[in-house]
Amino acid sequence: MARSIVSSSEPLVVGRVIGDVLDSFTQSMKMSVFYSNKQVFNGHEFFPSAVAAKPRAEIHGGDLRSFFTLIMTDPDVPGPSDPYLREHLHWIVTDIPGTTDATFGREVVSYEIPRPNIGIHRFVFVLFKQKRRQSVNPPSSRDHFNTRAFAVDNDLGLPVAAVYFNAQRETAARRR
């Protein structure tokens, strides 16, 4: 069991999510994110048109007395070779009861469609376990967001799960 949990963070290390966005952590919950019927797996690519609608994020484990915060961020703004605007916030849902999905939570920052302009961007979903309900405050801006600082400011601790996908600008030729 411990081996599968440790190996599950390896794609986050290879994809530089751990380092650029998060500190090293041990995954203790399972989270599944779906756009339509397509599940998000670490490092897989989605076309921006396929991620235009808000995803379904399911939390597996925990119980209805546990509450979670889900964050979606892009650490590669404006482009991955020089991400000087890192990170851009795309979505925050708080107070999600364990064993449910994000639709049962409180959306404090509405979903913003990924629109990468330059290069391949990573879009990271991070799940935190809250210490208590209604304890998370929204950030003042989507720009220059910092997942680590947000977690500290809201007493969230280390993440319990994370997953990311890649996307790049969609041209007419790529849509064919």
Side-chain angles (χ1 to χ4, degrees), residues 65-82:
R65 294 182 309 274
S66 306
F67 294 96
F68 297 87
T69 292
L70 176 68
I71 295 172
M72 179 186 176
T73 183
D74 175 358
D76 298 317
V77 178
S81 61
D82 186 18

Side-chain angles (χ1 to χ4, degrees), residues 4-159:
S4 67
I5 288 176
V6 170
S7 65
S8 68
S9 69
E10 189 175 321
L12 298 173
V13 173
V14 172
R16 296 184 342 271
V17 170
I18 291 178
D20 289 351
V21 180
L22 304 170
D23 292 327
S24 188
F25 71 98
T26 300
Q27 184 166 318
S28 58
M29 299 288 294
K30 188 171 182 326
M31 171 179 59
S32 303
V33 178
F34 297 89
Y35 283 97
S36 296
N37 292 331
K38 293 189 176 12
Q39 186 170 354
V40 173
F41 291 103
N42 287 319
H44 287 207
E45 185 169 351
F46 281 83
F47 289 121
S49 59
V51 297
K54 190 184 306 182
R56 186 175 82 250
E58 300 173 350
I59 300 169
H60 309 281
D63 57 52
L64 295 174
R65 294 182 309 274
S66 306
F67 294 96
F68 297 87
T69 292
L70 176 68
I71 295 172
M72 179 186 176
T73 183
D74 175 358
D76 298 317
V77 178
S81 61
D82 186 18
Y84 63 89
L85 296 175
R86 161 179 306 165
E87 300 165 44
H88 183 79
L89 178 63
H90 282 267
W91 196 31
I92 295 181
V93 183
T94 66
D95 299 329
I96 306 166
T99 72
T100 67
D101 64 62
T103 61
F104 291 90
R106 184 171 62 103
E107 189 176 66
V108 295
V109 175
S110 62
Y111 182 74
E112 181 179 280
I113 300 167
R115 289 188 175 96
N117 283 325
I118 304 166
I120 299 170
H121 288 235
R122 296 164 293 166
F123 293 89
V124 183
F125 293 93
V126 186
L127 187 68
F128 293 95
K129 185 173 182 181
Q130 297 172 214
K131 293 198 166 75
R132 62 194 172 287
R133 195 170 186 197
Q134 297 181 338
S135 61
V136 177
N137 297 310
S140 57
S141 171
R142 289 181 187 262
D143 297 320
H144 300 286
F145 182 77
N146 185 301
T147 300
R148 288 181 185 98
F150 182 82
V152 168
D153 292 347
N154 288 282
D155 197 23
L156 294 171
L158 289 173

